Amino acid sequence: MNGESNISGQASDENVSRSRGSVSSSVVHDSAFKHASGQAIYVDDIPMPEGCLHIFVVISTCAHAKIGAVDFCAAWESEGVVAVISGDDIPGVNDIGPIISDEPLFAIGAAGGIVECEGQALFAVAALSLDAARAAAAKVKIDYEDLPALLTIEDAMGAKSWLETPYKMTRGDVGAAMRASPHKIGGQIYIGGQEHFYLEGQAALVVPGEDGDVTVYCSSQHPTEIQHKVAGVLGVSFNAVTVEVRRMGGGFGGKETNGNLPAAVAALVAKLTGQAAKVRYDRDEDMIMTGKRHDFRIGYHVGFDDDGRIHSIIMDQAARCGWSQDLSLAICDRAMFHADNCYYLANVEINSYRCKTNTVSNTAFRGFGGPQGMVAIERVIDEIAFKLGKDPLEVRRINFYAAEKDTVSDRNVTPYHMKVEDCVIGEIVDELVVSSDYQARRTEIAEWNAGQPLLKRGIALTPVKFGISFTKTHLNQAAALVHVYSDGSVHLNHGGTEMGQGLFIKVAQIVAEAFQININRIKITPTNTGKAPNTSATAASSGTDLNGMAALDACTKIKKRLVDFASSKWCIARDKVEFRPGGVRIGDNELTFNELIAEAYLARVSLSATGFYATPKIEWDRATGIGRPFFYFAYGAAVSEVVIDPLTGEHRLLRVDILHDVGKSLNPAIDLGQVEGGFVQGAGWLTSEELVWDEAGRLKTHAPSTYKIPTASDRAPDMKIAIWKRGANREETIYRSKAVGEPPLMLGISVLMALSDAAASATGRVCYPSLDAPATPERMLQVITGGWG
Amino acid sequence: MHDTISFYLNGELKTLRGVAPTQTLLRYLREDEKLCGTKEGCAEGDCGACTVNVSALSADGTVKREAINACIRFMPSLEGASITTVEGLAHDIDTPHRVHQAMMDSDASQCGFCTPGFVMSLYTAYRNRTMLPLAAANDVLAGNLCRCTGYGPILHAAEKIGCVAKAVDQGEDDRVELEQLRSLDHQELVEIKHGAARAFLPATSDQLAKVYAAHPGATLISGATDVGLWVTKARRNLPKVIFLNRVRDLTSIKRSEHELIIGACVTYSGAIGILAQAYPDLGELVRRIGAVQVRNAGTIGGNIANGSPIGDMPPALIALDAKLVLRHGMQRRTVSLEDFFLAYGRQDRKPGEFIEAVHVPLSAAANELKCYKISKRFDQDISALCGCFNIKMSNDRVIAARIAFGGMAATPKRALSVEAALIGKRWDRPTVELAMQEFTKDFTPISDMRASADYRLRVAQNLLLKCFIEMETPLTQTRLVGHGNTFL
C-alpha cells in the first residue's frame, strides 16, 4: 500500500486543524462521520409519512413491440392496491424527455401502445407495500406483438436510423494532406458502454401539500429538471413543485436525467391519491431501465510522416443512443470535441452518427462522450507507433498541442477552431516520465518479456486534455443563497448537488475563506429548488467552478454590507475593515465575526444574499462548428503497467503513476479522491465492465453478479497519484482551481493501451493487436490468437 | 418445542415469534427496526452494502465472528446469534469508533452509500484482530463494492485498523459477547409457523434427518447464498424450509492419512485453511469463491447440493475423486461426486436425503492438483469456466489423469476423452497438443454473458497446455494472482 496515493501525498502542509477549513486545506468530507456511522440519510432512509404508498413500475420485456389493449382490473382488485396508473391518468403531458419531448412517462394506456426498448415504463401500481404492488402488477397481462428492432450500431447504421442528420466538424484540407502523407493507416475500434453502478439506486419520495403542490425528495443531479418534468406531468407551473436533494449515493451522470421517471411517477401517485408515495428501483430494475454510457464504433483513416506526426485524419464516430434523445446529441458533440485529446490535428474531419436503436436510452456518464472520443485517438497514436516501430510516447509527444509558453507555434487550434492557450501537457508528461521511471521500465519490461515463455507485461503513458464548460453555453450559470444568522452561524445553499464528489465541502471552504470563519460554523443544507432556482445539472465537472463562484458572490455582497456598516459605525475607511482568522479588524478594533454580526443585525443590515455566476468568454456556434465552447482545459497523464496471460487473456494491473492538474487545489484530499476514483472507474470501463444483450435486445448483465466493476484487488498494488504542484488555472476560476470530476476518468485509457502493448509482445509484434474495449479476457485472447469462430 | 427465535441485536436481546421463514435480515433491520444504516445495494450478496457482523458459537464453544450479507440472510437462521450493525458501533461524532476514525482520517468515503458495509467488514476484522496488509485487506474487502474512491483510501484505513486492533484490549467485549451467546445456546429443534409457512431449525444431524424425512418437500437452506436469490431475485415463495446453520455436528473436518472428511455444513471459510494446506490450488480456488461474506455463509455441502453447472468446488473435487455421504433418516450411502450430477438441475439425491459429508482423498501430491478459474474479475465473480487437473506421472508417462471442468457443460464434468488421450502417453508437448483436440469431444459449451462457447473451448484447451508448462517448468511464472504469483 502506498501512502502517497492518499492524503499524505499532496495534502496541505499547513498546520491548520482539519476543521478550520479554509481553501486549499484537506478538510475531510462534511458527511464523513455520517457515512461511516450509517447516519447519512439517503432517499430510502427518510422516515416515511403515515400512509405512504409504495410504487412498482412495470416495464417492457420486449425491445420493440405493439401492445394491445390492457385490462388493469386484476391489479386494481389485488390486495393492498390503491392506484394503478398508466398513460391515461396523466393530468399534464405524458413526457419526461430532458431536451425534447420524445420520452413518454408511460408507454401505454388501456388502449395499449408502442414500446421502443426493453425496460421502458408501461404503467405503475401503488400499494400499501412494495410486495403488494409487485404482486398486483404481475396479474396484468401484457400482449406484445413484436416489431422489427434495431439493436446495434451496425443495425442502425445500416438502416440510417439516426436521431439527427450526421454532424461534422472539419478543419484544413483533409483530402490533400492525406494524399501527401508518407504513411496511411485505417482501422476501427469498438468501445463498449458502461453501467453507472451508483451504489444507491434511483429513488424518489413525494409528499403532497396544499393546493395540489408537491415536495419531491429524490436522488438527482438535476433538481431543477425534476421540478420541470414533474410540473409538466402534473400540469402545474414550476412553482407548485419543490425538489430537494440532500445527497446521492453516487451519480456519475446516471442521475442527471434518469431520476425524472421515478420522481414523476411518485408525484403523479401523490397527486392522484393525496398520499405520500415512493419509488425505489431494485438493482436489476435500475440497470435494465436506466441509460448507460454510449457504446461507440469509431473508424479512422490517418496520414502521418516518418516521425509519426499526424498530417490528416478522418474519424467516423457512431454512437448507440438508444430509443430516445435524452442528452445524446450533446454527448456525441463532446465525443467530437475530444477526438483530438492533446494532439494538434492540422487537417481533420470528424463525422458523428447518432444512432437511434431499440435499446435503453443512453445518457450522461462521467466524461460525457469525451472518453470515447479520446480512446479512439489514443488508439490511432498507438497504431501509428506500432507501424513505425516507435515508442508510442514519442509519437504522442510529437503531436502535442503547442505549449502554453510557446508563443511562436501555430499548432494550437482544435478541430472546432478554438485556440488552446493553456496547454501544459508537455510539462506534465515530462515530469511524469521522470517520476514514473518510464524509460527504464520500458526497457526492463522488454527484457523481461523476452525471457518469459508465457506471461507478458506491457506499459503505456497516456495524456488527458478535457474541456471544461457545458457545451450548451446557457447552462454555465449558477445560483447560491447564503444567510448569516444573528448568532454568526451561516446557512449555505446553492444549486449544486452532492453525490460524493465533495462539492458541498469545497463550497463551504470558499464561504469559510470569504468570512474567515471556522468551517463548522457553516451549515451545509440540501439542494432545494425553493432556495436556488433555475439551476443547471451538477455535471460537466462544473459543480465547484459554478456554485463556488455563486456562493462567493453571495458572501461578497454580505461582506460589502458589513464593511459599509462597520466603516460607518466606527467612522473608518472601508479599506481598514478586514476579515481575518479569528475576527474582523476594524481599524484598531477587533471584533469576533459573531460580535460584528450581532451589531449589524441590531443596525438592521441585511445578512442574507443570493449569489450568481455566469462563466465568461465562452461561445459556441454549432451550425458552423466554430467557437470557444470551453473556458479552459484540465490536463493529466498516467502510466499504467499490466501483465497478461496469453493462454487465457486474463490480465492484472500492476502499477499506476498519475500526475494530474487541478489548478490550485481547493482541497487536495478531495481532489486526490476524485483522481483515484476516476482512474479506477475508467480502467473498469475499459477492462472488466461488459454489458451484454441477447439477440432479442434484453440486457443480460443487470446485477453485480454479472456486471463486474472493479473491486479492491483490481486496483494496482503500486499506485502513485500526485496533484501537479505547478498547476494554476490561467483563467479566473474560483481560487484558480480546475474542475476535477470527469478528467481523471480518462487516465484509465492508459490501461487499455498498456494491454495493447502487452498483446503486441505476446504476438511477437507481427501485426497490430486491435484490441476493442472492454478488454475482457475473451477480447484479449481473440486479438492474441487472431480470432476464431 | 421452541417456536421463537432469539438473538442479540447491537447488544439488545430480541425474541421474535412467527417470523416469516424467508424474511431477510436486511428487511428486518430497515423496515422493522428502522435501522437504515445497513443499505441495499444489490439484494444478491454481491456488493456488500448490507454487510453486518454476525457472531455465533462454534462447535468448540468459541465465538465465530463473521461479516455476512444481510440481504440474503433469512431471519430464522439468526437463532442464537449476535448481530452487530453499523448503528452498534458509535453514534456520536465526538466518540467515534476506531474504525470510523480510520475511515475519516483516510478520506475513505465519498458518496457514503457503501461505507457502512465497508465499516462492518473492517469492524469484523478488527474484532478478530486481523492484521490487514494489502493482500489481506483486499481479501477482507473483496465483497464490498465502492464506485467512488478507487479503494486506495479504504485500504489505507484498513491498514490502520489492522494495526490498532491488536493493540486495543477488547477482552471485555469478547466476554460479554460470549456470555450472551451462551445464554441463547440450546439443542432443541426450533419450529416456526408463519401462516401456512414453516421453518425448522434442527440443532443436530439426527434432528435434521428426522425432520427432513418427515418433510421431504422442504427446501434445505444452509448459507442461503443461492437460495437467498430464489427469494430476492426470482421472488419464489418457499412454504417449507429447513435451516442447517445450527447443525454443529456437520461442521467438523476430520483428517485421516488418506482423506479429509468435511461435514456438509462446513463453510468455505471454515474449510479454506485445511484445503489450502492439502492442495494449495484448491485453497486458492476457494479463496476466489465469492468474497468473505459469501464464504462465511456458503457451505461445501450446499455448493454441491445446488448442482450449479459452474460448480465452484465440484470440478476440483471431481478431479480428486471425492465421495459424498448421503443420508436419509438413519440410512446412509456413498456416491462418487462425479456420479452425483445427473443432468442440468438434477442430482442423485432422493426426497428427504441430504449430504452429510464430503470425503476428499489425499492421494494426490499437494502440487499435483492444478486448478484454474477463469472469470472477468478475479474476486467475487463466477467462473466462465473452471478447469481442474489431477495428472499422475511415472517415468515421463501419464499413468492416471482426472480432469474436470465447470462451466463447460450442464453439470461439472470430467474430460474423459482428453484423459484417454493422455493416459499411457509420454507427457510432452505433442501429446498435450493432440489431447487438446479432444476437448471438442468432451464438451459443447454454451455462450452466455460470461463468455462465448468458442472462448470456453479455446481456454479449456489452453489450460491443459498451461498445466503442462507448470508441471514441466515449475519455475516459469504462470500465475497472475494467488499463490505462486510473483507480482506484488
Side-chain angles (χ1 to χ4, degrees), chain A residues 106-269:
Chain A
F106 293 127
I108 62 167
I114 301 278
V115 287
E116 294 191 77
C117 81
E118 185 212 19
Q120 196 180 344
L122 302 181
F123 68 98
V125 180
L128 299 176
S129 74
L130 188 54
D131 293 337
R134 219 181 261 284
K139 293 173 185 167
V140 176
K141 195 170 172 304
I142 303 288
D143 288 317
Y144 296 94
E145 187 191 313
D146 278 330
L147 298 170
L150 300 172
L151 301 174
T152 62
I153 290 172
E154 283 67 32
D155 291 349
M157 290 297 284
K160 298 196 169 166
S161 168
W162 297 318
L163 289 171
E164 66 168 1
T165 313
Y167 180 59
K168 182 185 285 201
M169 280 181 194
T170 183
R171 217 184 132 265
D173 186 342
V174 175
M178 191 73 80
R179 284 188 294 275
S181 295
H183 306 282
K184 298 179 196 62
I185 50 176
Q188 178 178 296
I189 183 167
Y190 172 78
I191 305 157
Q194 186 177 26
E195 159 62 32
H196 300 84
F197 209 86
Y198 30 67
L199 263 288
E200 178 209 22
Q202 305 279 349
L205 168 67
V206 177
V207 180
E210 295 181 348
D211 305 326
D213 294 355
V214 292
T215 303
V216 181
Y217 300 91
C218 59
S219 183
S220 166
Q221 292 171 240
H222 201 347
T224 290
E225 186 171 291
I226 299 276
Q227 178 193 31
H228 293 179
K229 299 326 288 187
V230 165
V233 167
L234 299 184
V236 299
S237 55
F238 295 166
N239 65 3
V241 180
T242 303
V243 180
E244 178 162 306
V245 178
R246 172 56 187 89
R247 63 170 62 77
M248 282 161 269
F252 317 113
K255 292 175 179 169
E256 189 167 342
T257 64
N258 276 280
N260 294 357
L261 196 149
V265 173
L268 200 49
V269 169

Side-chain angles (χ1 to χ4, degrees), chain B residues 241-259:
Chain B
V241 298
I242 301 172
F243 288 93
L244 304 181
N245 57 300
R246 291 180 68 225
V247 186
R248 270 185 218 145
D249 59 331
L250 295 186
T251 61
S252 66
I253 304 176
K254 296 187 192 81
R255 186 181 181 132
S256 74
E257 199 187 326
H258 306 295
E259 63 181 2

